[in-house]
Amino acid sequence: MQASKRAYRGRVVQMDAAFSVLKDAVIWIEGNRIKAVLDAAATPPQGFEHMTPINTGGTFYPGLIELHNHLGYDILKLWDVPKLYCNRGQWQGSPPYQAGVSGPMGVLGKTPGVAPAIARYTEAKCLMGGTTTSQGITLFSAPGLMRQYRGIVRNVEESLDSTLPDAKARIPDYAAKDKDNFLGYLKDFPCLLMHLSEGIDASARKHFLDLEISPNVWAIAASLTGIHCNALTRKDFDRLAAVRAGMVWSPLSNFMLYGQTADIKSARAAGVRIGLGSDWSPSGSKNLLHELKVVRVVNSVQALGFSDRDIVAMATIVAAGLLRWDRYLGSIEAGKYADLVLVRGKAGDAYEHLLKADETRIDLVVIDGLPRYAIKKLTAGFSGTGEVISFAGETRYLNLDDANADEIVAGLSLKVATKRLSNAMKNLPTLAKKQAKLPPSPLMTMAMDGARRRVFGQGPTPRADWTLVLDQDEPPDENLRPRFDSEAPLPGTIRMSAMPTATKAPAVLKPLELDELTVTGDPGYYPALAGQRNIPQAIKDGLQP
């Protein structure tokens, strides 16, 4: 069977080694790879002689690569952060957080039929913001199985592609005497994404200092990419840079919770590679496109010295490099996978064009050579007709068809997922009461029963609904940072304590509204942002549209 071929014409921001910007070029695609990127007047590559490129009138960028997001929570609106915190432990178990974030998600994530709707909705949220790669959603079933959701948007933790090595996002704990083993574990993987020193106090920094094995010997390797790194000093960043380790910056979430972000000026001076993540919608951006705007404002207010090109690189070629995916993604070049985002218009500075764009300007998103989100004139190549949605006064199309679609979302439309989520969130108090009546830890009981059936040959376990593993609300600090003060399981071992159990809902849960898919489609977003207590006024002023 002949591989499908496509050709798109427009301005092309390649993000290659030379940072080439082609004012009028054609991206020639065969199958899931870019065959060539040539000037519009050039002769088409062999096999494309009779194909007329689609003239998009826009500017192409590599698909945006997000290195940190708790996607399961992205159905929630911005949390009204009640006070200034100094480390993640202070807010994670607080009553306001339980009432506004963990309590609702504990109910929704374990309500039958809701997990598929969350997966579908958050994936559409990524697409409409131009994100083609993000972190995954972990699912759990009563028979004791735990796996990653397999979706259209690439998952850094399970790429399903032998050329794109999986990143590890949860690190087993090691005893103090075994820090050298931890270092060996780091060296076994191309990329390990790890919450590192999230917070602004001494206890937050201690999470980094605990990585010291002996004087001047650290459990740090090039594979380590620290998430947040708020409490790190210039000396700490020098240590990371010395071994080519990197970091993920999520400034909006940092400001909302802690009133300040990482010392990026020191990180930049040290030469640390920096990728980006929107973190999650309760205390961060709705998508990576908006987080890019936050980065640009912070860069201006704090005089960090980044160019617009530098900022775009953080979400494209630099992010791909941190994952060790830069041979295949992160730039628009012949031989690489065709992951693309098209922004309407071709005028002005090419990098500023992306950073100033909102979701209404995203005209096309291509992942692995297939158009997944598009305005009407760019729907060529869709499987069937695609799902029709109305956004910003225009008809747009989502291509959710996938021969390898995850079983939990196969055939589930965005429309149905949205309705299911809206109804569940409106009925949170009722759902919470129903769950409160369940026997203690039903999922754990069924997981152990399933394991017993497999071990003793008692036949297959009954098929059960998949539910969410709430990665932000595991047992305190479970798998989010290295702890070297207690014995730990062998690498790859899943602790029973890390498995989700029935969560006792807070005393009072109120009905909630589903978070809108886009910033521009949410009239309450900027007022809610302006009302946040901990974001510096200069940052809030800069973010107002």
Side-chain angles (χ1 to χ4, degrees):
M1 180 182 294
Q2 185 181 20
S4 59
K5 297 179 180 180
R6 297 182 181 85
Y8 297 110
R9 179 176 177 178
R11 180 168 64 171
V12 179
V13 182
Q14 290 192 261
M15 301 307 295
D16 57 358
F19 290 103
S20 306
V21 176
L22 308 179
K23 294 183 178 180
D24 188 13
V26 177
I27 304 171
W28 301 93
I29 299 170
E30 185 168 14
N32 64 349
R33 300 283 185 124
I34 298 171
K35 181 73 172 180
V37 184
L38 302 173
D39 187 88
T43 302
Q46 185 175 1
F48 290 83
E49 295 87 352
H50 303 294
M51 178 174 286
T52 301
I54 298 173
N55 194 351
T56 67
T59 303
F60 281 98
Y61 302 86
L64 302 183
I65 300 174
E66 177 166 59
L67 296 184
H68 181 53
N69 195 326
H70 302 280
L71 285 170
Y73 294 79
D74 282 357
I75 60 173
L76 300 177
K77 288 182 176 291
L78 280 174
W79 177 39
D80 183 14
V81 180
K83 58 181 284 187
L84 185 71
Y85 298 103
C86 294
N87 59 66
R88 66 177 293 114
Q90 292 179 346
W91 55 262
Q92 198 170 23
S94 68
Y97 174 76
Q98 291 176 346
V101 181
S102 63
M105 288 308 305
V107 172
L108 295 168
K110 296 174 180 63
T111 298
V114 172
I118 291 174
R120 177 62 83 207
Y121 193 84
T122 55
E123 193 163 48
K125 210 174 188 184
C126 288
L127 289 174
M128 294 180 73
T131 297
T132 57
T133 297
S134 189
Q135 282 194 276
I137 295 177
T138 303
L139 302 170
F140 179 81
S141 72
L145 303 176
M146 191 180 294
R147 67 173 177 83
Q148 289 277 306
Y149 166 69
R150 301 180 297 273
I152 292 168
V153 173
R154 294 187 192 274
N155 177 2
V156 302
E157 297 157 75
E158 191 173 274
S159 72
L160 303 178
D161 188 318
S162 61
T163 65
L164 304 176
D166 295 342
K168 299 297 178 183
R170 293 172 180 81
I171 314 302
D173 302 337
Y174 281 83
K177 61 184 176 63
D178 291 330
K179 290 184 185 182
D180 53 344
N181 290 341
F182 178 74
L183 177 59
Y185 184 70
L186 283 171
K187 292 179 179 179
D188 284 342
F189 298 99
C191 180
L192 295 114
L193 297 163
M194 181 173 70
H195 283 73
L196 184 62
S197 291
E198 182 184 351
I200 57 176
D201 60 6
S203 68
R205 184 171 181 242
K206 188 176 185 300
H207 295 169
F208 176 79
L209 298 178
D210 282 345
L211 295 171
E212 188 174 22
I213 299 171
S214 61
N216 298 317
V217 179
W218 291 75
I220 301 173
S223 62
L224 177 62
T225 297
I227 299 169
H228 298 306
C229 302
N230 307 62
L232 299 193
T233 67
R234 172 60 192 268
K235 182 185 290 188
D236 302 330
F237 285 122
D238 284 338
R239 291 188 178 108
L240 290 176
V243 295
R244 293 288 291 159
M247 68 170 288
V248 181
W249 189 22
S250 301
L252 184 56
S253 185
N254 296 163
F255 281 122
M256 285 185 63
L257 294 169
Y258 310 113
Q260 63 188 65
T261 189
D263 183 2
I264 295 298
K265 187 172 288 189
S266 290
R268 183 172 186 261
V272 174
R273 294 175 296 164
I274 304 171
L276 300 177
S278 55
D279 200 354
W280 59 342
S281 65
S283 71
S285 293
K286 285 187 193 292
N287 53 42
L288 191 55
L289 184 65
H290 187 260
E291 193 71 11
L292 284 169
K293 292 167 180 47
V294 178
V295 169
R296 194 168 191 249
V297 170
V298 176
N299 178 60
S300 175
V301 170
Q302 297 187 352
L304 300 178
F306 293 112
S307 67
D308 285 346
R309 187 183 79 181
D310 294 333
I311 296 172
V312 173
M314 292 178 190
T316 53
I317 192 61
V318 173
L322 288 168
L323 293 170
R324 306 296 191 273
W325 289 9
D326 48 322
R327 183 178 175 184
Y328 298 98
L329 287 168
S331 62
I332 303 175
E333 299 180 80
K336 290 197 171 185
Y337 290 133
D339 283 19
L340 310 168
V341 57
L342 175 71
V343 177
R344 186 173 303 181
K346 300 191 294 183
D349 179 79
Y351 302 103
E352 182 184 51
H353 189 66
L354 173 63
L355 299 182
K356 284 191 170 183
D358 60 29
E359 298 98 339
T360 67
R361 312 298 290 179
I362 303 296
D363 281 355
L364 175 68
V365 176
V366 177
I367 300 178
D368 210 35
L370 286 173
R372 290 297 184 182
Y373 174 68
I375 58 174
K376 187 174 182 178
K377 74 172 185 177
L378 300 176
T379 56
F382 269 41
S383 302
T385 57
E387 181 175 354
V388 181
I389 62 174
S390 179
F391 174 57
E394 289 185 275
T395 298
R396 293 167 184 257
Y397 297 81
L398 278 168
N399 179 11
L400 303 175
D401 290 344
D402 185 1
N404 300 310
D406 194 296
E407 65 187 59
I408 72 166
V409 297
L412 179 63
S413 69
L414 175 61
K415 182 178 180 180
V416 171
T418 302
K419 184 176 181 180
R420 190 179 299 176
L421 286 174
S422 296
N423 289 338
M425 295 176 77
K426 288 177 182 177
N427 291 303
L428 261 176
T430 302
L431 294 176
K433 289 178 182 178
K434 288 181 179 180
Q435 286 194 12
K437 295 178 181 178
L438 293 175
S441 306
L443 293 183
M444 184 64 70
T445 301
M446 287 185 282
M448 297 181 71
D449 177 66
R452 183 171 59 252
R453 284 171 176 268
R454 289 191 297 275
V455 171
F456 294 105
Q458 295 178 3
T461 58
R463 187 180 181 279
D465 285 322
W466 291 93
T467 58
L468 291 185
V469 175
L470 299 175
D471 52 1
Q472 275 286 58
D473 296 296
E474 294 168 327
D477 284 341
E478 182 77 39
N479 290 329
L480 290 176
R481 66 174 176 85
R483 293 201 313 267
F484 303 106
D485 54 1
S486 62
E487 294 299 324
L490 295 173
T493 300
I494 296 177
R495 298 183 179 193
M496 293 301 285
S497 63
M499 289 186 176
T501 58
T503 302
K504 184 178 180 180
V508 177
L509 280 186
K510 299 179 180 179
L512 295 177
E513 291 184 4
L514 177 63
D515 192 37
E516 281 77 1
L517 286 164
T518 64
V519 174
T520 51
D522 185 354
Y525 182 76
Y526 283 108
L529 204 60
Q532 292 293 328
R533 297 166 177 80
N534 300 329
I535 303 177
Q537 191 60 47
I539 302 297
K540 288 196 282 190
D541 290 344
L543 288 175
Q544 290 300 311

